[in-house]
Every structure is written in C-alpha cells, then in structure tokens.
Amino acid sequence: MDKDIKIAEEKLEYLSGDPETQELYFERERALHEKANLISTGIRKGREEGRQEGRQEGRQEGIEQRDTEIVLNMLGEGLDETVIAKLTKIDLEKVREIINNYVN
C-alpha cells in the first residue's frame, strides 16, 4: 500500500504545477474509465445474450426430447405415423424423421 501512496504523491506533485498537464492527465483518466465501462458493459451484455440463447436451446431440446418420446411410445402402441402426426400435431416429416432416427 505504501508503494501506491508514493506513486500517487509523485503524480500529484508532478501535476500540481502545470494546468495544461493536469487537464491532459484528467482527460486521459476519463478516457480510461470510459473504456473500462464500455468493456464491462459489453461483457455484461454478451453474458446475458448467452444466457438467453442457452435457455432457448434448452427449451428446444426439451421439446424435441418430449416429442421423440411421445412418437416412439405411440409407435410402440401400434399407431401409424400419420395418426401420430395428427394426434400430436407434430409435423408428419418430423414424425418420420424421429422414426427413422430411432427405429430404423
């Protein structure tokens, strides 16, 4: 901590004598703070977008898994693919895709 205080005292001493140097220093500090804020905001927004995408993908995977289970169960009960599609309101092509992926 003493090292940090010494550095701050040296900066203060250097800047205290020249108003133009003071202004340049403060502008530089302001720019550094602004840059840090922009980076922080970008990281925060990126994380939130990632979370939203993850939730959406998770929901979609859950729906697909549920649909697969339903189709396979109904197929196991002897129902025809067109009947399964009609009763579940799952697209006939999707029903066929599930059957081809898991049965054939």
Side-chain angles (χ1 to χ4, degrees), residues 17-60:
D18 182 11
E20 186 178 333
T21 303
Q22 286 178 347
E23 184 64 28
L24 290 172
Y25 174 78
F26 291 125
E27 287 300 320
R28 180 179 180 276
E29 288 296 310
R30 188 176 303 133
L32 290 173
H33 286 288
E34 186 176 325
K35 180 180 178 181
N37 285 337
L38 288 172
I39 290 170
S40 176
T41 301
I43 290 171
R44 193 175 26 241
K45 285 181 180 180
R47 286 181 179 157
E48 181 57 32
E49 289 173 8
R51 284 187 199 105
Q52 289 175 354
E53 285 179 21
R55 284 191 287 269
Q56 289 171 348
E57 288 174 7
R59 279 189 216 109
Q60 186 61 36

Side-chain angles (χ1 to χ4, degrees), residues 46-82:
R47 286 181 179 157
E48 181 57 32
E49 289 173 8
R51 284 187 199 105
Q52 289 175 354
E53 285 179 21
R55 284 191 287 269
Q56 289 171 348
E57 288 174 7
R59 279 189 216 109
Q60 186 61 36
E61 288 174 7
I63 290 169
E64 289 175 10
Q65 183 177 2
R66 185 198 68 212
D67 288 353
T68 298
E69 290 174 9
I70 291 170
V71 169
L72 295 177
N73 287 337
M74 294 178 91
L75 189 65
E77 292 296 321
L79 295 175
D80 179 73
E81 61 188 26
T82 53

